[in-house]
Amino acid sequence: MTADREFATAREAANDPRILVFGRLLGAANRLEFLLGRALAEGTGLSHSLFELLLVVGRAGPGGIAVRDIAQARVLTSGGATRLVDRASAQGLVTRHASPDDGRVQLVELTRRGEELVVAASALHARNIERYLIDVLTPDQAAVFAEAIRTLSKSAATALPVMP
């Protein structure tokens, strides 16, 4: 099958193996995001988007991370990242301060409360990832899946434009 082949019918297009595999990837991601996000919200009060923000900020470590880098990591516009940071700040989970190197750049760091909450939420999240993802696969499948997802993520990240 060539990449530029046209489809004769909607059914043929919908059953194309390339389209099916991507649809299954999105379907699985959406279902897992719902299940894991609901568990986070019920168990910690954190939305999945705030939890992911705290992970990005926590991964950056001491000194913080620029809002523009949060936008790129989360595939958000700078305005979307700013609104997310504003929500986390209003809840006392992060602080912002000017970069010592460039005062125009705002750096975001976890507060003590944010650190404690992301650590507790991560324990819950990891258990649910095991339940809904890792335990469903054989150990060999889980290893192949983890490597494949890593490869896909890195490839997509290099193709992604700089977020506005």
Side-chain angles (χ1 to χ4, degrees):
M1 184 177 303
T2 63
D4 60 351
R5 180 174 178 266
E6 291 188 26
F7 300 106
T9 66
R11 182 181 182 104
E12 184 182 341
N15 286 306
D16 180 85
R18 298 163 297 179
I19 293 171
L20 281 171
V21 74
F22 187 70
R24 289 177 181 142
L25 175 65
L26 288 179
N30 290 339
R31 290 176 191 100
L32 289 167
E33 199 282 331
F34 176 84
L35 293 168
L36 298 173
R38 182 179 63 183
L40 273 172
E42 290 172 356
T44 67
L46 273 179
S47 68
H48 195 226
S49 59
L50 276 179
F51 174 68
E52 289 290 332
L53 168 69
L54 298 181
L55 289 175
V56 168
V57 175
R59 198 171 287 123
I65 184 171
V67 174
R68 71 173 177 268
D69 295 332
I70 292 170
Q72 197 68 29
R74 297 294 303 132
V75 192
L76 298 167
T77 64
S78 60
T82 297
R83 285 188 295 279
L84 190 58
V85 169
D86 286 346
R87 285 181 27 220
S89 181
Q91 293 181 35
L93 303 174
V94 299
T95 59
R96 274 184 286 217
H97 59 85
S99 166
D101 300 326
D102 183 347
R104 297 169 296 176
V105 174
Q106 290 289 300
L107 297 175
V108 180
E109 289 185 272
L110 292 175
T111 62
R112 176 180 288 270
R113 180 169 181 254
E115 174 87 20
E116 291 169 355
L117 188 54
V118 75
V119 167
S122 292
L124 172 67
H125 197 53
R127 286 191 303 274
N128 284 320
I129 290 169
E130 286 176 3
R131 176 181 176 195
Y132 290 111
L133 183 74
I134 296 168
D135 291 348
V136 174
L137 303 171
T138 67
D140 286 345
Q141 287 175 321
V144 168
F145 179 75
E147 185 58 31
I149 288 295
R150 181 176 179 269
T151 300
L152 291 172
S153 182
K154 288 174 86 172
S155 175
T158 61
L160 193 67
V162 174
M163 299 308 295

